[in-house]
Amino acid sequence: MIPRLDAKKLAEGDAQSLAALREAAVGVGFATVHNTDLSAARVQEVIETYRAFFRQPETAKRALDMARTGSNRGWGAAGSEQVDPDANPDYKQFFDIGYQLPEGHALATKIFYAPNQWPDDPAFRRVISDYYADAITVCKGLLRAIATAIGADAAHFDRAFDTPMALLRGNYYPARPDWAGAKDFGIATHTDYGCLTLLATDGSPGLEVRKRGGGWIPLSAPPGDFIINFGEMLEFWTDGAVKATPHRVVGGMAERISVPMFFNPTYDTNVAPKGGDEEMLAGDHLSARFRATYVHLQDKT
C-alpha cells in the first residue's frame, strides 16, 4: 500500500504520520503528500505553462536543444534519454532547469550548476523559476521528516543541501504511439539517481511502481497532491534505511504532463555509507549516471 501523508503533520512531528513515512521509505519506496505550501492552482499553472511550451513546433524549441548545446539545461527531444540500455530511448520530451551559483563560486563550473536556458517568454521563466524556489523549500521540509522517521536528528541532512543539485524537469508524455512495442516507454524501468523526488502530475495515469515481490502498482495524483520517492543516492547514504524502487511510465491513450523536482545535495557531499573508508561525492555519482542516460553524452564517451 502506498500511504497518503499530510505534510503539515509531518512537520509537526505527528508520530502516526512519521511511522507511515518510515514504512514507505523502507518498504514500497513511494508515498503521496498533500497539504504542502504548493496549492493545486499553483501546480496547475505550472503544468499548463509546460504544456503550452511542449505543444510548440519543434523548430521553436531547437535553440534550447541539449543535444546541440551540450548542456544539461533546456529542452530534450523525444529519444534524448535512455534510462534502460535494454529498452529503446524514451519517447518523452522534457525541459530542465537547475540551481544557479554566483559567478566565481568554487562549484560554479560543475555541470550541475550550469546556466539555465530559457525560451523567449518572460511568463514561462517567471512561473517555472518561482515554482522551483518554492519546491526546494517543500523538499527541505520533507527531508527533515525523513531524517526523523528513520531515527536521525531532523537537521541531519540540512547542511548538505545549502547549494543543492536540484533539477526541476517538465516531462511531456504523448499518447502511446501506434508504433510502440515491448521495448518502447515514456520512460523505461529505472530507479531515480539521487535523493528525493517530489513529483507533481496532471492526474493522468501512466506511472507504475514495481512491487517488492514482483508486478506493478499504478500510481497517480491530482495537482496539489505530490508523489514522492527515494533515489539510489539516499539508499546507500542511509545504509539502506531508505529504499529506491524501480518504476516506469508505459504511456496511455492521452498525453501526460509530470513535473519532478530531483532534490540532491551539494556536489562535494560525501554520500558513501558510514563506517567505511570509501568516499563517494554526490556529484560524481550523478555525473556517472547522467553519462549513461543522456544520448548526446553517450555519443561523446
Side-chain angles (χ1 to χ4, degrees):
M1 179 178 176
I2 295 175
R4 184 172 186 259
L5 305 172
D6 185 318
K8 294 293 192 293
K9 288 185 177 180
L10 290 173
E12 292 165 358
D14 177 71
Q16 186 174 355
S17 298
L18 289 169
L21 175 58
R22 182 182 185 280
E23 183 178 346
V26 303
V28 69
F30 275 75
T32 65
V33 178
H34 68 285
N35 202 17
T36 74
D37 289 333
L38 291 167
S39 68
R42 182 86 179 278
V43 173
Q44 190 65 53
E45 179 187 35
V46 168
I47 287 169
E48 295 308 320
T49 298
Y50 279 122
R51 195 187 308 276
F53 172 80
F54 287 122
R55 284 182 171 177
Q56 295 179 102
E58 187 167 305
T59 53
K61 296 173 281 192
R62 275 294 173 193
L64 304 170
D65 188 352
M66 295 181 188
R68 297 179 62 189
T69 64
S71 178
N72 69 334
R73 300 285 187 268
W75 177 67
S80 299
E81 285 192 324
Q82 186 177 18
V83 299
D84 180 355
D86 293 326
N88 292 328
D90 305 328
Y91 60 75
K92 69 180 186 301
Q93 297 179 45
F94 55 92
F95 187 91
D96 290 349
I97 68 165
Y99 199 83
Q100 297 284 261
L101 290 172
E103 188 175 346
H105 191 285
L107 295 172
T109 60
K110 301 295 186 183
I111 190 172
F112 300 103
Y113 304 103
N116 287 319
Q117 308 292 316
W118 295 101
D120 188 18
D121 180 354
F124 180 98
R125 181 169 183 167
R126 174 185 56 79
V127 169
I128 302 305
S129 60
D130 286 353
Y131 179 86
Y132 178 88
D134 291 339
I136 283 179
T137 300
V138 172
C139 287
K140 286 181 175 179
L142 290 173
L143 268 179
R144 292 178 68 86
I146 292 166
T148 303
I150 64 174
D153 184 86
H156 180 73
F157 296 112
D158 285 2
R159 291 184 62 187
F161 288 81
D162 287 342
T163 54
M165 294 182 292
L167 184 77
L168 182 69
R169 165 168 288 187
N171 283 320
Y172 174 77
Y173 299 97
R176 186 168 174 80
D178 293 339
W179 48 258
K183 291 189 174 184
D184 294 301
F185 297 88
I187 183 167
T189 303
H190 67 289
T191 52
D192 287 354
Y193 306 152
C195 282
L196 173 68
T197 302
L198 177 77
L199 176 68
T201 83
D202 62 5
S204 300
L207 175 63
E208 297 180 342
V209 176
R210 182 182 286 168
K211 298 178 183 178
R212 296 296 180 203
W216 297 91
I217 305 169
L219 180 59
S220 61
D225 278 30
F226 295 86
I227 297 167
I228 62 169
N229 66 285
F230 317 100
E232 302 164 353
M233 190 186 300
L234 195 58
E235 179 169 340
F236 51 71
W237 196 9
T238 61
D239 296 314
V242 173
K243 301 294 185 185
T245 297
H247 50 285
R248 67 186 186 184
V249 174
V250 176
M253 298 296 291
E255 69 179 24
R256 177 176 179 268
I257 301 284
S258 74
V259 186
M261 167 66 90
F262 300 110
F263 195 56
N264 305 308
T266 300
Y267 185 99
D268 56 7
T269 302
N270 182 14
V271 295
K274 299 190 184 306
D277 297 328
E278 178 187 10
E279 180 179 72
M280 180 184 298
L281 298 187
D284 291 346
H285 170 73
L286 288 185
S287 294
R289 298 297 272 129
F290 277 27
R291 284 195 300 271
T293 299
Y294 286 108
V295 172
H296 72 276
L297 296 181
Q298 293 171 357
D299 292 341
K300 295 180 180 179
T301 58

